[in-house]
Amino acid sequence: MRPMSPLVTESLERHFTVHRGDKVEDKERFLDEVGPKIRGMAVSHVHVNDALLDRLPKLEIVANFGVGYDTIDAAACGRRGVIVTNTPDVLTDEVADLAVGLLLATVRQIPQVDRYLRQGKWLEKPYPLTGTLRGRKVGILGLGRIGRAIAHRLVAFGLPIAYHGRTKQADVPYEYFPSLLEMAKACDVLMVVAPGGPETKNIVGREVLEALGPQGVLVNVARGTLVDEDALAAALADGTIQSAGLDVFAEEPKVPDALIAQEHAVLLPHVGSASVHTRNAMGQLVVDNLTSWFQGNGPVTPVAETPWKA
């Protein structure tokens, strides 16, 4: 329904009859004509809900390009017996690498320092001293695959790690906080790596930001909807927290002007997994899920809500 990488489209066209919704102007007519024939979907940032599912009565599987699948109503798919898959693991290291890079860029003001040099200001005087990672404690919101990979990297920096999630995990050595607010009070870096969706919308709001304090740093590589962007812009403007590094936004590709205006915010256009290597691996996993399913071998990486029993 939207453009996907050549690796995905070309591979699928070798195995299946592919109907390209991204190539047509009249999507409604397209769905009227081919919807009743569709048995599988390869999607990226496509809203799959009851309204769309009603148009696809023979649908068996939705293969999502990405580990996050909050645009897909997996529960609605499950009620209809439709498999949903995503692309976990293959992007874990790439996103974790970028998250740590974003933290460093934010605390040490790397983009700002680069601009300072390019503008010739170093000729006039040295750049002001920046913040540091030394003496900081990092709280991770969402200790899943990516959260664990981030924690592993930050331990090598000598930083103490805490985490908040639905349940305490027995196989990790990090301090657990059952309350996000209490974790924010105990930390001065908050890494957001939790899933998006209605349950986590604006979970990082004014109260959590105030708990981080004036030395606080927020890094979000999950979904923009987890952070109250108005509250964040205000917190940056009035010094409630020190800085923020964001790779995701609530209404991408739109970024609030109030965030763009903050000099000490480092803003990236959702590039966490955007390397050739990783995007190819993600695309291949989309193809593998569809080919495996239609060969009768089941899905490769079904999501938790999907009605599949190996």
Side-chain angles (χ1 to χ4, degrees), residues 239-292:
T240 296
I241 65 170
Q242 185 179 89
S243 55
L246 308 173
D247 186 44
V248 290
F249 304 90
E251 297 184 9
E252 297 176 3
K254 297 177 181 178
V255 179
D257 291 338
L259 286 177
I260 292 175
Q262 304 306 316
E263 175 62 21
H264 291 306
V266 178
L267 311 177
L268 305 181
H270 202 156
V271 294
S273 64
S275 71
V276 173
H277 168 84
T278 295
R279 289 291 172 86
N280 282 345
M282 293 166 63
Q284 187 59 55
L285 191 47
V286 169
V287 174
D288 291 346
N289 270 293
L290 290 165
T291 54
S292 178

Side-chain angles (χ1 to χ4, degrees), residues 73-74 99 124 144 157 271:
D73 189 337
E124 302 169 7
F157 282 76
V271 294

